[in-house]
Amino acid sequence: MQQRTGPFWDFLAGRVPPPPAARTLGWELESVEPEAGTIAVRFTAGPEFLNPWGKVQGGFLAAMLDDTLGAALVATLGPGESAPTLELKVNYLRPAGPGVLHGRGRVVHRTGSTGFLAGELVDDEGRELATATATARIFRSRQFRCGPRRGPPNLEAMITGMAPSLARKGDPVDD
């Protein structure tokens, strides 16, 4: 595999720590083929993921699928590109118990600005637990920046500035 850089590859090479969400989900790479747009990962569903019936809560399964499908696309990106998920559709096929779950993701189609993704989660016996499709938007570094550019907005000033326009005629307005 060629030497690659960027947040995904830096994380895999141990140059940066894993993203907090990946760490929470117990994300581990099994294999990746950027040229084919495929990835295989594993997750560890701990007891903190369980619902009252002892099964993994569906939101965690959706997060695992998002972290699988998104990684399949991110592995194909060039330097300075990112690809946040725009839409994720999950089908839950059977309950998932705690333990190791395997994610398989693939890029179904990619344009210059959009990625269409698909994948599934399976248990250790290979039983399909959930499937998903997703759409992601591909941004170049000049178009997308993580975090605030000039700091957070001053919400109090915004609300105060809107108060007179929100007041109905005859209603008192606090100064």
Side-chain angles (χ1 to χ4, degrees), residues 39-106:
I39 196 165
V41 298
R42 62 185 276 152
F43 300 94
T44 303
E48 63 277 14
F49 292 11
L50 304 182
N51 63 24
W53 298 274
K55 300 300 179 187
V56 179
Q57 195 270 342
F60 287 106
L61 297 175
M64 290 174 187
L65 284 160
D66 190 31
D67 247 17
T68 300
L69 278 55
L73 179 59
V74 168
T76 71
L77 299 179
E81 292 182 316
S82 60
T85 303
L86 295 175
E87 173 268 337
L88 177 71
K89 182 190 185 306
V90 177
N91 294 303
Y92 300 100
L93 307 176
R94 63 176 43 92
V100 174
L101 303 176
H102 303 272
R104 308 285 183 255
R106 61 200 159 280

Short mmCIF file of all heavy atoms in Angstrom, two decimals, residues 39-106:
data_model
loop_
_atom_site.label_atom_id
_atom_site.label_comp_id
_atom_site.label_asym_id
_atom_site.label_seq_id
_atom_site.Cartn_x
_atom_site.Cartn_y
_atom_site.Cartn_z
N ILE A 39 -13.76 -1.76 2.72
CA ILE A 39 -13.14 -1.80 4.04
C ILE A 39 -13.84 -2.87 4.87
O ILE A 39 -15.02 -3.17 4.67
CB ILE A 39 -13.23 -0.42 4.73
CG1 ILE A 39 -12.27 -0.34 5.92
CG2 ILE A 39 -14.67 -0.11 5.17
CD1 ILE A 39 -12.03 1.08 6.41
N ALA A 40 -13.08 -3.46 5.78
CA ALA A 40 -13.63 -4.38 6.78
C ALA A 40 -13.11 -3.92 8.14
O ALA A 40 -11.90 -3.69 8.29
CB ALA A 40 -13.21 -5.81 6.49
N VAL A 41 -14.01 -3.72 9.08
CA VAL A 41 -13.64 -3.27 10.42
C VAL A 41 -14.34 -4.15 11.45
O VAL A 41 -15.26 -4.89 11.13
CB VAL A 41 -13.99 -1.78 10.64
CG1 VAL A 41 -13.22 -0.89 9.67
CG2 VAL A 41 -15.46 -1.52 10.50
N ARG A 42 -13.89 -4.02 12.66
CA ARG A 42 -14.56 -4.72 13.76
C ARG A 42 -14.81 -3.74 14.88
O ARG A 42 -14.08 -2.77 15.04
CB ARG A 42 -13.76 -5.93 14.22
CG ARG A 42 -12.41 -5.59 14.77
CD ARG A 42 -11.56 -6.79 15.11
NE ARG A 42 -11.91 -7.27 16.43
CZ ARG A 42 -11.80 -8.51 16.83
NH1 ARG A 42 -11.35 -9.43 16.02
NH2 ARG A 42 -12.13 -8.86 18.05
N PHE A 43 -15.86 -4.01 15.62
CA PHE A 43 -16.25 -3.19 16.75
C PHE A 43 -16.41 -4.08 17.96
O PHE A 43 -16.71 -5.27 17.83
CB PHE A 43 -17.60 -2.50 16.48
CG PHE A 43 -17.58 -1.61 15.28
CD1 PHE A 43 -17.99 -2.07 14.04
CD2 PHE A 43 -17.16 -0.29 15.39
CE1 PHE A 43 -17.98 -1.25 12.93
CE2 PHE A 43 -17.15 0.54 14.28
CZ PHE A 43 -17.55 0.06 13.05
N THR A 44 -16.24 -3.50 19.12
CA THR A 44 -16.49 -4.23 20.36
C THR A 44 -17.68 -3.58 21.04
O THR A 44 -17.58 -2.44 21.51
CB THR A 44 -15.25 -4.21 21.27
OG1 THR A 44 -14.16 -4.75 20.55
CG2 THR A 44 -15.51 -5.04 22.52
N ALA A 45 -18.80 -4.29 21.05
CA ALA A 45 -20.02 -3.79 21.69
C ALA A 45 -19.99 -4.20 23.15
O ALA A 45 -20.23 -5.36 23.48
CB ALA A 45 -21.25 -4.33 20.99
N GLY A 46 -19.66 -3.26 24.00
CA GLY A 46 -19.57 -3.53 25.43
C GLY A 46 -20.91 -3.45 26.12
O GLY A 46 -21.94 -3.12 25.52
N PRO A 47 -20.94 -3.75 27.41
CA PRO A 47 -22.20 -3.76 28.16
C PRO A 47 -22.88 -2.39 28.21
O PRO A 47 -24.10 -2.30 28.33
CB PRO A 47 -21.81 -4.22 29.56
CG PRO A 47 -20.32 -4.10 29.63
CD PRO A 47 -19.79 -4.14 28.23
N GLU A 48 -22.11 -1.31 28.05
CA GLU A 48 -22.69 0.03 28.07
C GLU A 48 -23.50 0.32 26.80
O GLU A 48 -24.21 1.32 26.73
CB GLU A 48 -21.60 1.10 28.26
CG GLU A 48 -20.58 1.18 27.15
CD GLU A 48 -19.43 0.17 27.24
OE1 GLU A 48 -19.49 -0.80 28.00
OE2 GLU A 48 -18.45 0.37 26.50
N PHE A 49 -23.44 -0.56 25.79
CA PHE A 49 -24.20 -0.39 24.55
C PHE A 49 -25.56 -1.07 24.61
O PHE A 49 -26.35 -0.98 23.68
CB PHE A 49 -23.44 -1.00 23.37
CG PHE A 49 -22.17 -0.31 22.98
CD1 PHE A 49 -21.59 0.67 23.76
CD2 PHE A 49 -21.55 -0.64 21.81
CE1 PHE A 49 -20.41 1.30 23.39
CE2 PHE A 49 -20.37 -0.03 21.41
CZ PHE A 49 -19.80 0.95 22.20
N LEU A 50 -25.84 -1.79 25.69
CA LEU A 50 -27.02 -2.65 25.73
C LEU A 50 -28.29 -1.93 26.17
O LEU A 50 -28.25 -1.04 27.02
CB LEU A 50 -26.76 -3.85 26.65
CG LEU A 50 -25.53 -4.69 26.31
CD1 LEU A 50 -25.42 -5.87 27.26
CD2 LEU A 50 -25.56 -5.14 24.86
N ASN A 51 -29.41 -2.37 25.59
CA ASN A 51 -30.73 -1.89 26.00
C ASN A 51 -31.23 -2.78 27.15
O ASN A 51 -30.54 -3.72 27.56
CB ASN A 51 -31.68 -1.86 24.79
CG ASN A 51 -31.93 -3.24 24.20
OD1 ASN A 51 -31.81 -4.27 24.85
ND2 ASN A 51 -32.30 -3.27 22.93
N PRO A 52 -32.42 -2.52 27.66
CA PRO A 52 -32.93 -3.32 28.79
C PRO A 52 -33.08 -4.82 28.48
O PRO A 52 -33.16 -5.63 29.39
CB PRO A 52 -34.29 -2.70 29.10
CG PRO A 52 -34.19 -1.29 28.60
CD PRO A 52 -33.31 -1.37 27.39
N TRP A 53 -33.10 -5.21 27.22
CA TRP A 53 -33.26 -6.61 26.84
C TRP A 53 -31.92 -7.30 26.62
O TRP A 53 -31.87 -8.43 26.15
CB TRP A 53 -34.15 -6.74 25.61
CG TRP A 53 -35.52 -6.21 25.91
CD1 TRP A 53 -36.55 -6.89 26.47
CD2 TRP A 53 -35.97 -4.88 25.71
NE1 TRP A 53 -37.63 -6.05 26.64
CE2 TRP A 53 -37.30 -4.81 26.18
CE3 TRP A 53 -35.39 -3.73 25.19
CZ2 TRP A 53 -38.05 -3.65 26.15
CZ3 TRP A 53 -36.13 -2.57 25.16
CH2 TRP A 53 -37.45 -2.53 25.64
N GLY A 54 -30.82 -6.60 26.89
CA GLY A 54 -29.50 -7.19 26.74
C GLY A 54 -28.98 -7.22 25.32
O GLY A 54 -28.03 -7.93 25.02
N LYS A 55 -29.59 -6.44 24.44
CA LYS A 55 -29.15 -6.36 23.04
C LYS A 55 -28.55 -4.99 22.78
O LYS A 55 -28.85 -4.01 23.47
CB LYS A 55 -30.33 -6.61 22.08
CG LYS A 55 -30.97 -7.98 22.27
CD LYS A 55 -29.98 -9.10 22.03
CE LYS A 55 -30.59 -10.46 22.25
NZ LYS A 55 -29.61 -11.53 22.18
N VAL A 56 -27.72 -4.88 21.75
CA VAL A 56 -27.09 -3.61 21.41
C VAL A 56 -28.16 -2.65 20.91
O VAL A 56 -28.92 -2.98 19.99
CB VAL A 56 -25.98 -3.80 20.35
CG1 VAL A 56 -25.35 -2.46 19.99
CG2 VAL A 56 -24.92 -4.77 20.85
N GLN A 57 -28.22 -1.47 21.51
CA GLN A 57 -29.19 -0.45 21.14
C GLN A 57 -28.94 -0.03 19.69
O GLN A 57 -27.79 0.09 19.26
CB GLN A 57 -29.07 0.73 22.11
CG GLN A 57 -30.21 1.69 22.10
CD GLN A 57 -30.00 2.82 21.10
OE1 GLN A 57 -28.90 3.10 20.65
NE2 GLN A 57 -31.10 3.47 20.76
N GLY A 58 -30.00 0.18 18.94
CA GLY A 58 -29.92 0.46 17.52
C GLY A 58 -29.09 1.67 17.14
O GLY A 58 -28.46 1.70 16.07
N GLY A 59 -29.05 2.68 17.98
CA GLY A 59 -28.25 3.86 17.69
C GLY A 59 -26.76 3.53 17.61
O GLY A 59 -26.03 4.10 16.80
N PHE A 60 -26.32 2.59 18.44
CA PHE A 60 -24.91 2.17 18.37
C PHE A 60 -24.65 1.41 17.07
O PHE A 60 -23.60 1.57 16.45
CB PHE A 60 -24.52 1.32 19.57
CG PHE A 60 -24.40 2.11 20.84
CD1 PHE A 60 -25.36 2.02 21.83
CD2 PHE A 60 -23.31 2.96 21.05
CE1 PHE A 60 -25.25 2.75 23.00
CE2 PHE A 60 -23.19 3.70 22.22
CZ PHE A 60 -24.17 3.59 23.19
N LEU A 61 -25.60 0.59 16.65
CA LEU A 61 -25.43 -0.13 15.39
C LEU A 61 -25.37 0.85 14.22
O LEU A 61 -24.55 0.69 13.30
CB LEU A 61 -26.56 -1.14 15.19
CG LEU A 61 -26.66 -2.26 16.23
CD1 LEU A 61 -27.91 -3.10 15.98
CD2 LEU A 61 -25.41 -3.11 16.25
N ALA A 62 -26.22 1.87 14.25
CA ALA A 62 -26.19 2.89 13.20
C ALA A 62 -24.85 3.62 13.20
O ALA A 62 -24.27 3.87 12.13
CB ALA A 62 -27.34 3.88 13.38
N ALA A 63 -24.33 3.95 14.38
CA ALA A 63 -23.03 4.62 14.46
C ALA A 63 -21.93 3.72 13.92
O ALA A 63 -21.02 4.18 13.21
CB ALA A 63 -22.74 5.01 15.91
N MET A 64 -22.00 2.42 14.21
CA MET A 64 -21.01 1.49 13.67
C MET A 64 -21.07 1.43 12.15
O MET A 64 -20.04 1.44 11.47
CB MET A 64 -21.23 0.09 14.26
CG MET A 64 -20.90 -0.03 15.71
SD MET A 64 -21.36 -1.66 16.33
CE MET A 64 -21.08 -1.46 18.08
N LEU A 65 -22.28 1.39 11.62
CA LEU A 65 -22.42 1.38 10.17
C LEU A 65 -21.91 2.68 9.55
O LEU A 65 -21.22 2.66 8.53
CB LEU A 65 -23.87 1.11 9.77
CG LEU A 65 -24.28 -0.35 9.93
CD1 LEU A 65 -25.80 -0.49 10.00
CD2 LEU A 65 -23.71 -1.19 8.80
N ASP A 66 -22.20 3.80 10.17
CA ASP A 66 -21.71 5.09 9.66
C ASP A 66 -20.18 5.11 9.69
O ASP A 66 -19.55 5.57 8.74
CB ASP A 66 -22.29 6.23 10.50
CG ASP A 66 -22.04 7.60 9.90
OD1 ASP A 66 -21.97 7.72 8.67
OD2 ASP A 66 -21.91 8.55 10.69
N ASP A 67 -19.58 4.59 10.76
CA ASP A 67 -18.12 4.56 10.86
C ASP A 67 -17.50 3.54 9.91
O ASP A 67 -16.32 3.61 9.62
CB ASP A 67 -17.70 4.27 12.30
CG ASP A 67 -17.01 5.44 12.96
OD1 ASP A 67 -17.13 6.57 12.46
OD2 ASP A 67 -16.33 5.22 13.98
N THR A 68 -18.27 2.59 9.43
CA THR A 68 -17.78 1.63 8.44
C THR A 68 -17.89 2.22 7.04
O THR A 68 -16.91 2.27 6.29
CB THR A 68 -18.59 0.32 8.51
OG1 THR A 68 -18.45 -0.25 9.82
CG2 THR A 68 -18.13 -0.68 7.48
N LEU A 69 -19.08 2.66 6.67
CA LEU A 69 -19.30 3.20 5.33
C LEU A 69 -18.46 4.44 5.09
O LEU A 69 -17.84 4.60 4.03
CB LEU A 69 -20.77 3.50 5.10
CG LEU A 69 -21.66 2.32 4.71
CD1 LEU A 69 -21.61 1.16 5.66
CD2 LEU A 69 -23.08 2.78 4.51
N GLY A 70 -18.45 5.34 6.07
CA GLY A 70 -17.67 6.56 5.92
C GLY A 70 -16.19 6.27 5.73
O GLY A 70 -15.52 6.89 4.91
N ALA A 71 -15.68 5.30 6.48
CA ALA A 71 -14.26 4.95 6.36
C ALA A 71 -13.94 4.36 5.00
O ALA A 71 -12.84 4.58 4.47
CB ALA A 71 -13.87 3.98 7.47
N ALA A 72 -14.88 3.63 4.40
CA ALA A 72 -14.65 3.09 3.05
C ALA A 72 -14.42 4.23 2.07
O ALA A 72 -13.53 4.16 1.21
CB ALA A 72 -15.83 2.22 2.61
N LEU A 73 -15.19 5.30 2.19
CA LEU A 73 -15.03 6.45 1.30
C LEU A 73 -13.79 7.26 1.66
O LEU A 73 -13.00 7.63 0.80
CB LEU A 73 -16.27 7.34 1.33
CG LEU A 73 -16.22 8.60 0.46
CD1 LEU A 73 -16.00 8.24 -1.01
CD2 LEU A 73 -17.48 9.41 0.64
N VAL A 74 -13.60 7.52 2.95
CA VAL A 74 -12.47 8.34 3.39
C VAL A 74 -11.14 7.71 2.94
O VAL A 74 -10.20 8.43 2.59
CB VAL A 74 -12.52 8.55 4.92
CG1 VAL A 74 -11.22 9.12 5.46
CG2 VAL A 74 -13.68 9.46 5.29
N ALA A 75 -11.06 6.39 2.90
CA ALA A 75 -9.84 5.72 2.47
C ALA A 75 -9.51 6.01 1.01
O ALA A 75 -8.36 5.86 0.60
CB ALA A 75 -9.96 4.21 2.70
N THR A 76 -10.50 6.45 0.22
CA THR A 76 -10.26 6.75 -1.19
C THR A 76 -9.94 8.21 -1.45
O THR A 76 -9.60 8.58 -2.57
CB THR A 76 -11.50 6.39 -2.05
OG1 THR A 76 -12.56 7.34 -1.79
CG2 THR A 76 -11.99 4.98 -1.80
N LEU A 77 -10.06 9.05 -0.43
CA LEU A 77 -9.90 10.49 -0.61
C LEU A 77 -8.45 10.90 -0.77
O LEU A 77 -7.54 10.24 -0.25
CB LEU A 77 -10.51 11.25 0.56
CG LEU A 77 -12.01 11.06 0.79
CD1 LEU A 77 -12.45 11.87 2.00
CD2 LEU A 77 -12.81 11.43 -0.44
N GLY A 78 -8.27 12.02 -1.43
CA GLY A 78 -6.94 12.59 -1.57
C GLY A 78 -6.62 13.51 -0.41
O GLY A 78 -7.46 13.77 0.45
N PRO A 79 -5.39 14.03 -0.39
CA PRO A 79 -5.01 14.96 0.67
C PRO A 79 -5.94 16.18 0.69
O PRO A 79 -6.31 16.70 -0.36
CB PRO A 79 -3.59 15.38 0.27
CG PRO A 79 -3.11 14.30 -0.64
CD PRO A 79 -4.33 13.77 -1.34
N GLY A 80 -6.33 16.60 1.89
CA GLY A 80 -7.18 17.78 2.03
C GLY A 80 -8.64 17.56 1.74
O GLY A 80 -9.41 18.51 1.71
N GLU A 81 -9.07 16.32 1.53
CA GLU A 81 -10.49 16.04 1.29
C GLU A 81 -11.12 15.44 2.53
O GLU A 81 -10.46 14.76 3.31
CB GLU A 81 -10.67 15.08 0.10
CG GLU A 81 -10.28 15.66 -1.23
CD GLU A 81 -10.50 14.70 -2.37
OE1 GLU A 81 -10.17 13.50 -2.23
OE2 GLU A 81 -11.04 15.13 -3.41
N SER A 82 -12.40 15.70 2.70
CA SER A 82 -13.18 15.11 3.78
C SER A 82 -14.55 14.75 3.21
O SER A 82 -14.91 15.21 2.13
CB SER A 82 -13.32 16.09 4.95
OG SER A 82 -13.96 17.26 4.52
N ALA A 83 -15.28 13.91 3.93
CA ALA A 83 -16.56 13.43 3.40
C ALA A 83 -17.57 13.18 4.52
O ALA A 83 -17.78 12.04 4.93
CB ALA A 83 -16.34 12.16 2.57
N PRO A 84 -18.22 14.22 5.02
CA PRO A 84 -19.25 14.01 6.04
C PRO A 84 -20.49 13.33 5.44
O PRO A 84 -20.82 13.52 4.27
CB PRO A 84 -19.58 15.42 6.53
CG PRO A 84 -19.15 16.32 5.42
CD PRO A 84 -18.02 15.64 4.72
N THR A 85 -21.14 12.54 6.26
CA THR A 85 -22.35 11.83 5.85
C THR A 85 -23.51 12.81 5.74
O THR A 85 -23.77 13.59 6.66
CB THR A 85 -22.71 10.74 6.88
OG1 THR A 85 -21.59 9.85 7.01
CG2 THR A 85 -23.94 9.96 6.47
N LEU A 86 -24.21 12.76 4.62
CA LEU A 86 -25.41 13.58 4.43
C LEU A 86 -26.66 12.81 4.82
O LEU A 86 -27.63 13.38 5.32
CB LEU A 86 -25.54 14.01 2.97
CG LEU A 86 -24.46 14.92 2.42
CD1 LEU A 86 -24.68 15.15 0.93
CD2 LEU A 86 -24.44 16.23 3.18
N GLU A 87 -26.66 11.51 4.54
CA GLU A 87 -27.86 10.69 4.76
C GLU A 87 -27.41 9.27 5.06
O GLU A 87 -26.46 8.78 4.49
CB GLU A 87 -28.72 10.73 3.49
CG GLU A 87 -29.91 9.81 3.46
CD GLU A 87 -29.59 8.44 2.84
OE1 GLU A 87 -28.64 8.31 2.08
OE2 GLU A 87 -30.33 7.50 3.17
N LEU A 88 -28.09 8.65 6.03
CA LEU A 88 -27.80 7.26 6.41
C LEU A 88 -29.12 6.55 6.62
O LEU A 88 -29.97 7.03 7.37
CB LEU A 88 -26.98 7.22 7.69
CG LEU A 88 -26.65 5.84 8.27
CD1 LEU A 88 -25.63 5.13 7.38
CD2 LEU A 88 -26.11 5.98 9.68
N LYS A 89 -29.31 5.42 5.93
CA LYS A 89 -30.51 4.61 6.11
C LYS A 89 -30.08 3.25 6.61
O LYS A 89 -29.24 2.59 6.01
CB LYS A 89 -31.27 4.44 4.81
CG LYS A 89 -32.55 3.62 5.03
CD LYS A 89 -33.22 3.22 3.76
CE LYS A 89 -34.53 2.52 4.00
NZ LYS A 89 -34.48 1.39 4.88
N VAL A 90 -30.65 2.84 7.74
CA VAL A 90 -30.29 1.58 8.37
C VAL A 90 -31.49 0.65 8.38
O VAL A 90 -32.61 1.06 8.70
CB VAL A 90 -29.80 1.82 9.82
CG1 VAL A 90 -29.48 0.50 10.50
CG2 VAL A 90 -28.59 2.74 9.84
N ASN A 91 -31.24 -0.61 8.05
CA ASN A 91 -32.23 -1.68 8.18
C ASN A 91 -31.73 -2.64 9.26
O ASN A 91 -30.64 -3.21 9.11
CB ASN A 91 -32.40 -2.44 6.86
CG ASN A 91 -33.00 -1.57 5.79
OD1 ASN A 91 -34.08 -1.02 5.96
ND2 ASN A 91 -32.29 -1.43 4.69
N TYR A 92 -32.51 -2.81 10.31
CA TYR A 92 -32.15 -3.73 11.39
C TYR A 92 -32.78 -5.08 11.07
O TYR A 92 -33.99 -5.20 10.93
CB TYR A 92 -32.67 -3.20 12.73
CG TYR A 92 -32.09 -1.85 13.06
CD1 TYR A 92 -32.81 -0.68 12.84
CD2 TYR A 92 -30.80 -1.73 13.57
CE1 TYR A 92 -32.28 0.56 13.14
CE2 TYR A 92 -30.25 -0.49 13.86
CZ TYR A 92 -31.00 0.65 13.65
OH TYR A 92 -30.47 1.88 13.94
N LEU A 93 -31.95 -6.11 10.95
CA LEU A 93 -32.43 -7.42 10.53
C LEU A 93 -32.64 -8.38 11.69
O LEU A 93 -33.55 -9.20 11.65
CB LEU A 93 -31.44 -8.03 9.53
CG LEU A 93 -31.11 -7.13 8.33
CD1 LEU A 93 -30.04 -7.79 7.47
CD2 LEU A 93 -32.36 -6.83 7.53
N ARG A 94 -31.78 -8.33 12.68
CA ARG A 94 -31.92 -9.17 13.87
C ARG A 94 -31.18 -8.51 15.03
O ARG A 94 -30.30 -7.69 14.80
CB ARG A 94 -31.42 -10.58 13.62
CG ARG A 94 -29.97 -10.73 13.29
CD ARG A 94 -29.48 -12.18 13.13
NE ARG A 94 -30.36 -13.05 12.40
CZ ARG A 94 -30.29 -13.28 11.08
NH1 ARG A 94 -29.37 -12.68 10.37
NH2 ARG A 94 -31.12 -14.11 10.52
N PRO A 95 -31.54 -8.87 16.25
CA PRO A 95 -30.87 -8.26 17.40
C PRO A 95 -29.38 -8.61 17.44
O PRO A 95 -28.98 -9.71 17.05
CB PRO A 95 -31.59 -8.86 18.61
CG PRO A 95 -32.86 -9.43 18.08
CD PRO A 95 -32.61 -9.78 16.65
N ALA A 96 -28.59 -7.67 17.92
CA ALA A 96 -27.15 -7.89 18.07
C ALA A 96 -26.82 -8.00 19.54
O ALA A 96 -27.23 -7.16 20.34
CB ALA A 96 -26.38 -6.73 17.45
N GLY A 97 -26.10 -9.03 19.88
CA GLY A 97 -25.65 -9.19 21.26
C GLY A 97 -24.33 -8.48 21.49
O GLY A 97 -23.69 -7.99 20.55
N PRO A 98 -23.90 -8.40 22.75
CA PRO A 98 -22.62 -7.77 23.04
C PRO A 98 -21.48 -8.62 22.48
O PRO A 98 -21.64 -9.81 22.21
CB PRO A 98 -22.59 -7.73 24.57
CG PRO A 98 -23.50 -8.84 25.00
CD PRO A 98 -24.56 -8.94 23.93
N GLY A 99 -20.35 -7.98 22.31
CA GLY A 99 -19.17 -8.69 21.80
C GLY A 99 -18.68 -8.08 20.50
O GLY A 99 -18.93 -6.92 20.21
N VAL A 100 -17.99 -8.89 19.72
CA VAL A 100 -17.39 -8.42 18.47
C VAL A 100 -18.41 -8.43 17.34
O VAL A 100 -19.10 -9.42 17.13
CB VAL A 100 -16.17 -9.27 18.10
CG1 VAL A 100 -15.61 -8.88 16.74
CG2 VAL A 100 -15.09 -9.15 19.17
N LEU A 101 -18.49 -7.31 16.64
CA LEU A 101 -19.32 -7.18 15.45
C LEU A 101 -18.41 -6.75 14.31
O LEU A 101 -17.46 -5.99 14.52
CB LEU A 101 -20.43 -6.15 15.67
CG LEU A 101 -21.36 -6.41 16.85
CD1 LEU A 101 -22.35 -5.25 16.99
CD2 LEU A 101 -22.07 -7.72 16.70
N HIS A 102 -18.69 -7.22 13.11
CA HIS A 102 -17.85 -6.92 11.95
C HIS A 102 -18.61 -6.04 10.96
O HIS A 102 -19.75 -6.36 10.61
CB HIS A 102 -17.42 -8.22 11.25
CG HIS A 102 -16.71 -9.16 12.17
ND1 HIS A 102 -15.35 -9.12 12.36
CD2 HIS A 102 -17.19 -10.15 12.97
CE1 HIS A 102 -15.01 -10.05 13.24
NE2 HIS A 102 -16.10 -10.69 13.62
N GLY A 103 -17.97 -4.97 10.52
CA GLY A 103 -18.56 -4.08 9.53
C GLY A 103 -17.87 -4.26 8.19
O GLY A 103 -16.64 -4.38 8.14
N ARG A 104 -18.66 -4.30 7.14
CA ARG A 104 -18.14 -4.38 5.78
C ARG A 104 -18.74 -3.21 5.02
O ARG A 104 -19.97 -3.05 4.98
CB ARG A 104 -18.55 -5.69 5.09
CG ARG A 104 -18.23 -6.94 5.86
CD ARG A 104 -16.74 -7.28 5.80
NE ARG A 104 -16.47 -8.52 6.50
CZ ARG A 104 -15.88 -8.60 7.70
NH1 ARG A 104 -15.54 -7.51 8.33
NH2 ARG A 104 -15.65 -9.75 8.27
N GLY A 105 -17.90 -2.39 4.42
CA GLY A 105 -18.38 -1.21 3.70
C GLY A 105 -17.76 -1.11 2.33
O GLY A 105 -16.66 -1.61 2.09
N ARG A 106 -18.50 -0.45 1.43
CA ARG A 106 -18.00 -0.27 0.07
C ARG A 106 -18.55 1.01 -0.54
O ARG A 106 -19.66 1.44 -0.24
CB ARG A 106 -18.33 -1.47 -0.80
CG ARG A 106 -19.80 -1.76 -0.96
CD ARG A 106 -20.06 -3.20 -1.41
NE ARG A 106 -21.41 -3.61 -1.08
CZ ARG A 106 -21.82 -4.01 0.11
NH1 ARG A 106 -21.00 -4.05 1.12
NH2 ARG A 106 -23.06 -4.37 0.31
#
